[in-house]
Amino acid sequence: MKMSKMHIRTLREVPNEAEIPSHILLLRTGMIRKLVSGVYGFMPLGWRSLRKIENIVREEMDATGAQEILMSAVQPAELWQESGRWFAYGPELWRLKDRNGRDFCLGPTHEEIFTDIIRNDVSSYRQLPMNLYQIQTKYRDEARPRFGLMRSREFIMKDAYSFDRDYEGLDVSYKTMYDAYDRIFTRCGLTFRPVEADTGAIGGSNSHEFTAISEVGESEIAYCPKCSMAANVERADCRDAEPTPDSVEMLPMEEVHTPDTKTIEDLAAFLGVKTEETIKALLFVKYDEMGNEDGYVAAFVRGDRELNMIKLVNALGIPEHAIAFADEEAMGAKTGAVGGFTGPVGLHDCTVVVDSELPGLKNLVAGACRRDYHLKNVNYGRDYKGDIVKDIKVLKEGDPCPVCGEPVKHARGIEVGQVFKLGTKYSESMGATYKDENQEEKPIVMGCYGIGVTRTLAAVVEQHHDKDGIIWPVAVAPYHVIITLMKPDDEVQLALAEKVHDELSAKGVEVMLDDRDERPGVKFKDADLLGIPVRITVGRMAPEGKVEYKLRRDAEKVEMTAEEAVKAAVALVEAER
Ligand code: ATP
Ligand code: MG
């Protein structure tokens, strides 16, 4: 394709709303176009790369025996009410009404729709297992759309759903998808890590996220340098501290005057104790389905720990959007809490959630629920109890690995895909059953499997760029080769460039020919910015049939004959496409 005929608009300047390399480069190359916050369109080169990712996904899905379908983006509220997610999904669900006032949403994911298909179409064990998938536009009214395609409000997802007779079947389906994801992200050129994950609003038991390693990623993962433990920090178990030995006695509880000690650090310094010997309180208010306040929650962790919000909402059995920090005064009037001086002793009329290690620790310091006072020698069982006792703390870098005890490390990454064992969550709430060999009615056992196709495109750029632009892996590059023609009005040069173009095209290599009337400097800069894997420069050596061959990922430039260049490019593309 001749560049003079192509619709490409590259930008010299960095668009000011873009902060991270992938967002900057996808805008500067003109591959994506922003319409409004979190809503992007794809221009010719962007669409080509996106389709390559889609095709990799499609090939690998088809290879597992999954069948592609395409469902509508518009979904009726009734299905979401049946599954209970019309509320649980919260404000991210993009809701709309038709002219008669009937409620709909734009699908953020399609568990309800696929379960509905299956409950209508499947009745016998003979029809199972089955896996259906689609590559489709999703909508999520994200609180903070940002980083371009990374977190947008409209995006393309591949979502697959597996249907099995039993849990053994689900294990097989899950493993098949997991392995396909490994191949997909490898083929896309990503460096990634599968990690254990929370199941969030989707629900179910087990889950893994596929995380492309990147400093700009919004996922924080904890992994063990010694064993295979790797988990999203939201999900990572945290070992409880060793309990205080039996030989240590519970001392009498004592109130102490601790003026101006609002933080744990102030308090520990004031009393001359370690932060590990204190209890930290975090206060929340819950909301019901109508958005009304629905009671208070006090969560307690050891002073040096951090509260893990995801573990807390899971312990409470509520969605993340149904809880917020409490107004201290309002909560105090009802429960006895006192901002900065709240402890578990003397608190009333609220749900008390206690981290699992606190019951084992003796003689701790906690707020006295009285301004400027704390209590010393607070002991679980004797002085306070939790309504819920669970691990609600963050596994921090350096904490012992929950599996082997080695200090864990943290890394950041981009969640490009997630697989879930749903079990019977949707089939039970929506009545999707089948008859087994004995004519017994059983719920279908489900799994679901998502890939952010547009986010994957951004993740590839995030991992493959330098200061001059993108460095596309061959498999997802918009074109494989760019022929940079120095003087388009020089007949010899033009003829050689066209010959190289035609020979490569005939061999299935995707070529763009930069025949624009621009200075060489501009052309080289654009070629680097666009990141086309191979650059073949046709210039003053054209009369000898020679060109310059350069890979975007290497600095080296090699002079060779046009035939040699064609051969080298074909070999590269065949090996890496
Ligand atoms: P996140 O935690 O990043 O909000 P999620 O866990 O809610 O994502 P899933 O429901 O697992 O997302 O969706 C499947 C995949 O869709 C994700 O792994 C991700 O790659 C992609 N995805 C989800 N939300 C967005 C978004 N707002 N913009 C782009 N891609 C997204
Ligand atoms: Mg996810």
Side-chain angles (χ1 to χ4, degrees):
M1 181 91 188
K2 285 189 169 160
M3 261 177 100
S4 59
K5 305 256 179 327
M6 288 168 74
H7 181 57
I8 296 177
R9 188 168 155 252
T10 57
L11 308 175
R12 294 274 158 261
E13 301 293 315
V14 177
N16 48 22
E17 84 258 29
E19 298 160 63
I20 61 164
S22 61
H23 191 192
I24 292 170
L25 289 171
L26 287 169
L27 285 170
R28 278 194 57 206
T29 51
M31 295 180 88
I32 63 171
R33 198 58 80 72
K34 176 176 152 181
L35 195 57
V36 289
S37 166
V39 180
Y40 290 84
F42 294 86
M43 300 308 284
L45 296 181
W47 183 234
R48 286 179 73 95
S49 280
L50 194 67
R51 272 193 351 242
K52 295 213 171 156
I53 296 176
E54 278 190 12
N55 280 335
I56 290 172
V57 171
R58 186 171 280 121
E59 280 175 22
E60 295 296 342
M61 285 293 118
D62 290 348
T64 68
Q67 299 167 70
E68 185 169 3
I69 61 175
L70 181 61
M71 293 291 102
S72 63
V74 175
Q75 307 186 6
E78 289 79 7
L79 287 177
W80 285 73
Q81 282 150 353
E82 256 188 83
S83 70
R85 287 208 297 180
W86 187 249
F87 167 67
Y89 214 93
E92 248 178 50
L93 190 61
W94 206 318
R95 295 157 211 259
L96 60 149
K97 286 187 191 294
D98 72 5
R99 63 171 75 203
N100 301 312
R102 190 171 158 204
D103 285 314
F104 291 87
C105 66
L106 296 175
T109 175
H110 277 61
E111 282 74 17
E112 282 79 359
I113 307 300
F114 279 67
T115 310
D116 184 54
I117 298 176
I118 287 301
R119 72 176 164 186
N120 290 317
D121 293 358
V122 168
S123 53
S124 158
Y125 69 94
R126 288 194 194 86
Q127 293 166 279
L128 301 174
M130 173 153 48
N131 188 321
L132 299 175
Y133 78 98
Q134 62 178 349
I135 297 175
Q136 194 235 23
T137 304
K138 298 281 188 275
Y139 296 86
R140 294 185 184 182
D141 196 1
E142 297 276 354
R144 276 186 306 280
R146 57 182 197 146
F147 294 166
L149 301 182
M150 288 286 184
R151 184 167 301 284
S152 46
R153 299 196 291 169
E154 178 181 284
F155 59 96
I156 297 175
M157 196 204 286
K158 184 283 300 178
D159 45 331
Y161 304 83
S162 66
F163 305 93
D164 277 280
R165 301 174 191 177
D166 49 32
Y167 281 87
E168 289 77 64
L170 170 60
D171 289 346
V172 175
S173 298
Y174 188 85
K175 174 82 170 48
T176 304
M177 285 292 115
Y178 186 104
D179 293 345
Y181 276 39
D182 251 336
R183 291 191 296 274
I184 289 167
F185 296 123
T186 303
R187 285 180 63 185
C188 289
L190 287 176
T191 305
F192 62 95
R193 196 167 190 142
V195 302
E196 284 176 45
D198 181 62
T199 53
I202 306 280
S205 54
N206 294 49
S207 179
H208 286 87
E209 278 169 7
F210 286 75
T211 312
I213 304 304
S214 163
E215 270 307 304
V216 305
E218 294 182 288
S219 296
E220 185 150 12
I221 63 177
Y223 66 94
C224 178
K226 199 168 142 205
C227 75
S228 61
M229 193 287 298
N232 189 309
V233 170
E234 289 179 344
R235 159 74 181 70
D237 293 331
C238 184
R239 265 197 198 183
D240 290 345
E242 286 296 315
T244 316
D246 286 344
S247 55
V248 175
E249 302 231 340
M250 290 191 198
L251 300 173
M253 199 165 69
E254 186 189 332
E255 194 174 65
V256 284
H257 189 221
T258 53
D260 303 325
T261 55
K262 277 215 154 192
T263 69
I264 288 289
E265 287 68 32
D266 293 347
L267 174 69
F270 184 87
L271 291 177
V273 299
K274 296 190 198 126
T275 52
E276 291 98 293
E277 295 168 291
T278 67
I279 298 179
K280 177 154 74 182
L282 294 114
L283 308 176
F284 301 95
V285 59
K286 287 192 288 176
Y287 294 97
D288 68 11
E289 306 212 356
M290 305 306 295
N292 300 315
E293 289 192 4
D294 186 29
Y296 291 105
V297 176
F300 295 99
V301 293
R302 203 174 69 175
D304 60 314
R305 301 284 198 185
E306 264 168 48
L307 175 72
N308 181 322
M309 270 316 281
I310 300 295
K311 289 185 185 176
L312 177 67
V313 296
N314 288 342
L316 291 164
I318 58 173
E320 217 183 328
H321 66 88
I323 191 166
F325 280 111
D327 175 88
E328 288 177 349
E329 288 211 356
M331 179 165 176
K334 184 101 203 291
T335 65
V338 175
F341 298 92
T342 303
V345 184
L347 206 57
H348 52 86
D349 293 304
C350 69
T351 308
V352 174
V353 188
V354 171
D355 180 58
S356 49
E357 72 187 355
L358 292 180
L361 303 175
K362 289 182 194 161
N363 303 326
L364 301 177
V365 176
C369 290
R370 183 177 166 205
R371 185 155 310 284
D372 293 339
Y373 284 88
H374 279 85
L375 294 171
K376 278 167 78 170
N377 306 326
V378 173
N379 288 285
Y380 190 85
R382 184 188 74 179
D383 306 319
Y384 73 101
K385 279 218 165 81
D387 299 306
I388 299 170
V389 180
K390 269 213 167 129
D391 169 22
I392 51 165
K393 55 195 169 302
V394 172
L395 176 68
K396 289 196 214 159
E397 184 143 36
D399 283 345
C401 166
V403 178
C404 77
E406 187 80 3
V408 298
K409 289 195 180 326
H410 275 199
R412 300 200 72 80
I414 301 160
E415 179 199 323
V416 282
Q418 186 166 10
V419 291
F420 299 79
K421 287 189 185 173
L422 295 173
T424 56
K425 175 180 155 124
Y426 294 89
S427 47
E428 286 197 354
S429 60
M430 298 182 62
T433 59
Y434 72 98
K435 282 207 174 69
D436 72 4
E437 292 94 324
N438 307 316
Q439 294 301 304
E440 223 179 286
E441 195 95 355
K442 293 221 167 117
I444 295 173
V445 181
M446 291 174 53
C448 75
Y449 316 91
I451 289 181
V453 177
T454 41
R455 188 184 280 182
T456 298
L457 181 75
V460 171
V461 177
E462 209 53 61
Q463 288 190 353
H464 298 275
H465 70 269
D466 63 12
K467 64 174 183 12
D468 299 319
I470 303 175
I471 307 171
W472 288 108
V474 171
V476 295
Y479 284 88
H480 301 132
V481 174
I482 184 165
I483 301 169
T484 306
L485 174 56
M486 295 285 94
K487 286 203 174 125
D489 51 7
D490 177 314
E491 273 171 33
V492 180
Q493 288 188 21
L494 178 64
L496 185 64
E498 286 182 336
K499 180 166 169 261
V500 171
H501 173 279
D502 295 349
E503 282 177 10
L504 284 170
S505 300
K507 297 225 157 75
V509 173
E510 299 163 16
V511 202
M512 53 202 287
L513 170 54
D514 192 353
D515 62 336
R516 294 174 303 167
D517 187 18
E518 292 281 2
R519 282 178 293 116
V522 171
K523 295 188 177 188
F524 286 135
K525 271 213 155 61
D526 276 347
D528 281 350
L529 178 65
L530 294 175
I532 307 303
V534 182
R535 188 182 78 198
I536 297 175
T537 305
V538 178
R540 48 181 177 76
M541 295 177 303
E544 301 136 57
K546 282 191 166 171
V547 300
E548 183 190 272
Y549 183 88
K550 180 182 176 301
L551 298 186
R552 175 66 177 91
R553 64 188 181 214
D554 293 341
E556 203 191 354
K557 299 170 191 160
V558 189
E559 267 182 38
M560 52 177 83
T561 63
E563 291 72 35
E564 285 165 341
V566 168
K567 232 181 173 174
V570 170
L572 180 88
V573 170
E574 278 177 359
E576 299 184 20
R577 82 183 322 159

